[in-house]
Structures are given as structure tokens and as C-alpha cells.
Amino acid sequence: METENLDERYRDLDNLFLRDSKFAPELFAPNDALKTILFDAAKVLVIGAGGLGCEILKDLALSGFRDITVIDMDTIDVTNLNRQFLFRKKDVGKHKSEVAAAFIEERCSGVKVTAHTNMIQDFDADFYREFHVIIAGLDNIEARRWLNALLHSMVEFDDDGKPDIATVKPLIDGGTEGFRGQARLIMPHMSGCFECTLSSLPKQNSYPMCTIAETPRLPEHCIQHAYVIQWPEHFKDKKVDKDSPDDMNWIFERAKERAESYNIEGVTYFLTMGVVKNIIPAIASTNALVSAACVNEALKVATFCNKSVDNYFMFMGQTSVYTSTFPFEKDENCLVCASQRESQTVAGSKLLKEFRDELQEKFTLSNPGLTAESTNKTLYISGPLGKKTKQNLELSMAQLVESGFLDKQDIIQVTDKAIPTVMKVYVKIE
């Protein structure tokens, strides 16, 4: 009976699985067993259960995926309800992943959704190896970088230096920004990765402190003043809880008062949340479109019923409807996926501090530690051990070579909280 119900529920899949197609890859052969693989074997991990994640979970369940895991540590706020349709008013305050999982299981019988409320960094590589495909619906760049780097670190290589396909975990990364969105398929060490495209991401809005403090002209300036200046003055030892309506309302009221004194209009509670939490307005239709693109790729990766996207799909809907698909090329100097890097020439007179600052800016790192691979000596590390290596920052690269810390041609291993593995920078000291 269950098999009959599944066949009826997912009968549209027969159009993909039982018919030959010129769009399918060469290894595809029409086969009814593909449904069995999809129903009983495919395991998919969804990271994020917000506006994009809710749509992804729904699309997966309706597309035949029956073993789904979702990770999201956030709780539901009343402001989520206008677009995150798996949640109701009674769910406010509960974990998104748990409510979303229960909703999907109730509406789609036979679909199992396992929910986790941890950070993604709490899970080790063995956990991620369980899944056939991973879909990220994250709005956090740091988390996306971490996930991308981890999946690349899990890849093993054969004697010819080629990735072992059995160890490659496809990552489908979706993102939306107002009326714009993108879906990309990242095959670790086989395509360009998230780190390769980091420079293409828009910069977050920032406002000069002098303008915020002295000459506000925009409602955002007033909100930032209340958040950055007034809050610390009134609550010296308390950080703003961005999920607290009381804290957000306090900032909103102070911002509104300042705006009125400067005859500035436009300060609202929702704009206050957007500025403080760096929220970009979410459009439900964009979420729906991008999630469909993500799940479409997941279905193709799991069953080979069609050729996968190569490898970046972009949707632009601000003034009209425009889409484009193109291959995002690998960056040959990418910290994460570059297999062969040319040694960068570093002047011997350059201080280690200057070299580290350049790495920090170029690769968007927070507080990188540096170790010379040839000597296995720590050049710099933060934290309690930082006192022992802090003096190295004032040494030139030539002095580090003379003192035996570095070789003239060396590999500097880089560690940072933004990346879960050791990255390598090839240097030639002149």
C-alpha cells in the first residue's frame, strides 16, 4: 500500500526517471530503480530553516526526498511569520528547525525530518559524511565559508592527484537579497568554491562615526547612534540582545527621538531591526524561486536524471526578470581549493605584521595564526600563547629567515576561526 501511495504521490517523477532525454548525462539510463534510490537511500542535509530554508524543506519533501536533516539554532520571532510559512503565531519562541521538521512530517506522511539546534561547527566531519548532498540556505558569510572549507578538507585524492568522487560532498548554496537571488552547485575541488567568489559579495553597509555623532542625514544614522553610542552609555555592561523586542524597542524609541530633533523622517521599528541586525528585506517570491533552483539541483545530483547546472545560477528581479547561468571559475590562489599555487614573492624587508595584515584583508580573516611548514615553528598565534610570538610581528621576513623561523621558499600555514582547516600560502622571500 505504501509503495502504491508513493507511486501516486510522486508520479510526475516518472517523466524524469522513465524517459530518455538529450539533457541527461551519458551515464543516465531510464530506470524505475531511481525512485527507490531517492525514497530509501538519498540523505540530504539542509542548513538553515529561515525564509529560504522553509521553502527548501517543503520542496524536498514534495520532490521525493524522504530522509532529511535540518540544522538551525535560531528561534522563531513574530516578524518571521510573513514569509516563513511553516511557522504560526503559537510557535514564536520555539526553535525553527524543530517546528519546521514537525510541520513537514505532519503534512507529508513517510518523510522523516531530523532537527538539530546546534551550531554547524558543533558537528564533525563524520556527521557531514553521512549525507549525499548538502543545501545551505544561510545568510551568514562566516558560516558559509566554514562549511565550504570543511567539505573541501574531507576530499581524498588518488595517486594521480584527482579527487576521489566518493569523498566529494556536493554543496548547493542558495542566497537571496531582496529581489535578487542565486543558487550555485559547488563540487569540492572540482569547481569554483565559495571562497573563490568571496570578493564578489557586496560589502555590508557602514556609516562614518562622525556623521552618526554630529550630522545625521538619514534614518539609518539615527538608529546607529542609538545602537552604537546611546546604548553603551545607558547599559555599560549589557550587550544588545538583537532577538529581544524590549532591547530593539529601546533602540527604536531613542532613534525616533533623535530623528525628530533633526527633522529626519523614516525611522520605523522594522528599519531599526534591519540596521541593527543587518537585515536585507526578504521577498517571499524570491525565496520560492531560489529554493526551487536549489532542490532541482539536489534532485539531479541524487539521481543523475539531468545535467547539473554549471555552476552558478543568478536571478535578478529588481526592475524586470532576468536570469543567467555561468561557470564561476576557480581562483588559482584560493586558500581553500587551489591545488597548485604559484609562490608569491615577498620582500625581505616586509614585516611579518604587514604580511599578516595583507593576508587578513585579502582573504577576509579575523585573527589569523601563522606557522612555517618547513621548520614547524609558530610565527604568530593569538590567545595565551600570543605573548611568546608577538615580538615576531615586528621582525622582517628576512630576519625570520636568518633566525631559522622560515626558509627562503616556504609554505606558511594559516589558521583562523573563519576556516575549519589549515590553509597554505606559498611564499618566496627576496
Side-chain angles (χ1 to χ4, degrees):
M1 187 66 180
E2 175 67 11
T3 301
E4 293 177 357
N5 290 338
L6 287 179
D7 287 342
E8 177 63 22
R9 183 191 300 177
Y10 301 109
R11 62 182 182 277
D12 289 336
L13 291 175
D14 291 342
N15 294 326
L16 296 174
F17 296 164
L18 302 183
R19 301 192 302 184
D20 203 355
S21 170
K22 63 180 181 180
F23 299 109
E26 293 181 1
L27 54 79
F28 171 79
N31 195 330
D32 192 54
L34 290 175
K35 284 196 292 186
T36 302
I37 294 173
L38 184 64
F39 297 157
D40 300 335
K43 297 184 66 174
V44 60
L45 172 64
V46 178
I47 302 179
L52 195 57
C54 283
E55 292 279 358
I56 290 171
L57 290 168
K58 176 260 294 181
D59 289 347
L60 286 170
L62 296 179
S63 298
F65 290 92
R66 293 162 54 79
D67 191 344
I68 305 168
T69 298
V70 58
I71 302 174
D72 196 315
M73 63 183 296
D74 288 348
T75 55
I76 300 166
D77 184 80
V78 68
T79 59
N80 301 145
L81 303 182
N82 70 325
R83 64 194 181 281
Q84 298 176 22
F85 62 93
L86 299 183
F87 310 139
R88 302 293 182 266
K89 191 173 182 179
K90 63 181 176 60
D91 300 320
V92 170
K94 300 177 182 177
H95 280 99
K96 290 182 178 181
S97 58
E98 294 178 342
V99 174
F103 192 105
I104 295 293
E105 288 187 339
E106 181 180 358
R107 292 293 295 269
C108 301
S109 60
V111 176
K112 181 184 72 172
V113 185
T114 304
H116 295 283
T117 60
N118 311 64
M119 296 174 60
I120 61 172
Q121 293 88 346
D122 292 339
F123 300 93
D124 60 17
D126 288 338
F127 170 82
Y128 291 97
R129 287 190 181 96
E130 297 177 12
F131 303 98
H132 297 93
V133 61
I134 297 166
I135 307 178
L138 291 162
D139 57 4
N140 184 303
I141 292 176
E142 287 74 21
R144 293 159 85 179
R145 292 182 69 190
W146 186 93
L147 179 64
N148 174 74
L150 176 70
L151 297 183
H152 278 78
S153 71
M154 291 162 46
V155 176
E156 299 177 5
F157 298 85
D158 60 22
D159 294 337
D160 296 327
K162 295 181 179 180
D164 179 358
I165 193 65
T167 65
V168 173
K169 298 297 177 183
L171 171 61
I172 300 170
D173 177 74
T176 63
E177 183 180 277
F179 286 101
R180 298 182 296 176
Q182 54 83 21
R184 72 179 82 177
L185 174 62
I186 298 171
M187 301 294 288
H189 288 292
M190 298 174 67
S191 68
C193 75
F194 185 81
E195 195 78 16
C196 291
T197 62
L198 204 58
S199 61
S200 68
L201 298 177
K203 300 291 185 182
Q204 293 185 354
N205 289 331
S206 60
Y207 306 97
M209 183 58 68
C210 58
T211 301
I212 294 171
E214 302 295 338
T215 56
R217 297 184 298 272
L218 301 172
E220 290 86 351
H221 295 159
C222 301
I223 295 168
Q224 283 283 22
H225 187 275
Y227 174 44
V228 176
I229 297 176
Q230 295 184 54
W231 180 277
E233 290 177 350
H234 286 76
F235 306 99
K236 296 184 184 299
D237 299 322
K238 179 184 177 184
K239 290 185 178 181
V240 176
D241 182 353
K242 298 179 182 180
D243 294 320
S244 167
D246 292 335
D247 289 6
M248 296 302 295
N249 194 63
W250 189 95
I251 295 174
F252 164 60
E253 294 294 343
R254 303 293 86 73
K256 188 168 65 171
E257 291 172 2
R258 183 169 177 80
E260 290 172 353
S261 67
Y262 282 90
N263 295 318
I264 296 173
E265 298 180 352
V267 174
T268 66
Y269 182 79
F270 288 103
L271 180 61
T272 300
M273 288 194 300
V275 171
V276 173
K277 302 174 74 171
N278 195 37
I279 295 174
I280 298 168
I283 308 299
S285 57
T286 310
N287 285 337
L289 188 150
V290 170
S291 69
C294 290
V295 174
N296 190 36
E297 292 308 312
L299 184 65
K300 290 188 284 185
V301 167
T303 64
F304 297 102
C305 64
N306 210 313
K307 293 180 181 178
S308 298
V309 66
D310 183 25
N311 52 42
Y312 192 103
F313 164 78
M314 179 176 63
F315 167 72
M316 309 289 283
Q318 304 98 305
T319 57
S320 61
V321 176
Y322 169 76
T323 64
S324 177
T325 302
F326 59 92
F328 220 121
E329 301 293 340
K330 296 182 68 170
D331 181 352
E332 293 304 320
N333 291 309
C334 176
L335 269 176
V336 172
C337 71
S339 56
Q340 293 183 342
R341 303 182 182 90
E342 293 184 4
S343 297
Q344 57 176 291
T345 301
V346 180
S349 59
K350 179 168 290 186
L351 299 180
L352 180 64
K353 178 182 178 180
E354 296 172 335
F355 176 74
R356 180 175 176 271
D357 288 344
E358 289 176 358
L359 289 179
Q360 190 167 345
E361 181 178 356
K362 180 179 179 180
F363 297 110
T364 320
L365 304 175
S366 57
N367 192 13
L370 308 175
T371 302
E373 186 168 281
S374 65
T375 62
N376 199 30
K377 289 185 177 181
T378 301
L379 303 176
Y380 175 78
I381 190 170
S382 60
L385 298 178
K387 295 180 181 179
K388 296 182 179 180
T389 58
K390 188 175 181 180
Q391 63 269 20
N392 288 345
L393 293 175
E394 304 302 326
L395 297 178
S396 68
M397 302 300 280
Q399 288 174 319
L400 290 169
V401 172
E402 292 171 3
S403 59
F405 275 90
L406 270 174
D407 282 347
K408 284 191 173 183
Q409 291 194 32
D410 213 329
I411 297 173
I412 295 180
Q413 299 176 345
V414 182
T415 57
D416 190 80
K417 69 177 184 179
I419 46 181
T421 57
V422 175
M423 305 305 168
K424 298 182 178 182
V425 177
Y426 297 75
V427 296
K428 182 179 180 181
I429 313 299
E430 288 188 350

